[in-house]
Amino acid sequence: MATVILRPDSTTTETGWASSNIHTIINDNNTGTGVSQNNVTCNFTGTLDDLDGSLSGATINSFTITLNGKAGRAGAASVGMKLVHSTDGGFASETESWTGTQTAQTTTAFTTQQDGSSALTFAYMNNCSVNIAPNTQGITVYELYVTVDYTAAAAGYGNDVIGVATAN
């Protein structure tokens, strides 16, 4: 199985952060740059990079959400993390906790769509956003991303061979 990382590519909504458009900070693949919570009411929702078109035939096995952060003034913090599908709404919700040391926390692997029974698909994942909602204790966020685990589609011949159609 292979994985691909999807990072927030735009900000849909945000409240309570020391910088606007925080997706430009938390998607830079740099744990040295961060943005701090500056209000007790705080959240972020951002659209994700799309899966590469070459994965359109892949089997999507699961995904996890990872947030690299560090608790603020209180020395401890927790953040609710979830995926939000454009029509099905929020799902795959899990809360993780941080201390005063910068660490990455990852949710358990989720294997189904919001309904809890349908398999994940290329198209479904491409219509998802990521949401974080810190508690009131304060946190600095350095990175946020979704890791998608997939199995590549079987590859066939590049042309018809002995009457067998291309890619079969």
Side-chain angles (χ1 to χ4, degrees), residues 14-17 37-44 73 133-136:
E14 63 178 298
T15 300
W17 297 101
Q37 177 180 350
N38 68 357
N39 195 314
V40 293
T41 302
C42 186
N43 61 62
F44 164 80
R73 65 191 176 281
N135 68 1
T136 61

Side-chain angles (χ1 to χ4, degrees), residues 122-140:
F122 173 85
Y124 195 85
M125 292 302 298
N126 279 348
N127 283 302
C128 287
S129 298
V130 64
N131 170 269
I132 57 173
N135 68 1
T136 61
Q137 294 174 299
I139 191 165
T140 298

Side-chain angles (χ1 to χ4, degrees), residues 5-11 17 21-31 33-36 44-46 66-68 130 132 140-145:
I5 291 179
L6 306 177
R7 296 181 183 277
D9 62 5
S10 70
T11 298
W17 297 101
N21 291 318
I22 70 169
H23 74 276
T24 61
I25 299 168
I26 61 177
N27 79 348
D28 66 0
N29 197 21
N30 181 352
T31 58
T33 58
V35 60
S36 297
F44 164 80
T45 302
T66 300
L67 184 126
N68 184 308
V130 64
I132 57 173
T140 298
V141 175
Y142 299 93
E143 285 192 293
L144 175 64
Y145 56 89

Side-chain angles (χ1 to χ4, degrees), residues 14-156:
E14 63 178 298
T15 300
W17 297 101
S19 177
S20 62
N21 291 318
I22 70 169
H23 74 276
T24 61
I25 299 168
I26 61 177
N27 79 348
D28 66 0
N29 197 21
N30 181 352
T31 58
T33 58
V35 60
S36 297
Q37 177 180 350
N38 68 357
N39 195 314
V40 293
T41 302
C42 186
N43 61 62
F44 164 80
T45 302
T47 60
L48 292 168
D49 295 329
D50 280 342
L51 289 167
D52 184 89
S54 66
L55 299 178
S56 64
T59 300
I60 307 299
N61 303 310
S62 65
F63 68 87
T64 57
I65 305 168
T66 300
L67 184 126
N68 184 308
K70 177 175 80 171
R73 65 191 176 281
S78 62
V79 177
M81 301 186 287
K82 67 182 171 183
L83 223 56
V84 181
H85 186 265
S86 61
T87 57
D88 292 342
F91 72 109
S93 181
E94 192 168 296
T95 299
E96 300 294 335
S97 298
W98 283 263
T99 63
T101 302
Q102 183 179 342
T103 58
Q105 301 292 337
T106 302
T107 65
T108 55
F110 294 93
T111 59
T112 61
Q113 295 181 19
Q114 187 270 349
D115 65 10
S117 61
S118 298
L120 297 167
T121 66
F122 173 85
Y124 195 85
M125 292 302 298
N126 279 348
N127 283 302
C128 287
S129 298
V130 64
N131 170 269
I132 57 173
N135 68 1
T136 61
Q137 294 174 299
I139 191 165
T140 298
V141 175
Y142 299 93
E143 285 192 293
L144 175 64
Y145 56 89
V146 174
T147 303
V148 178
D149 180 277
Y150 68 93
T151 303

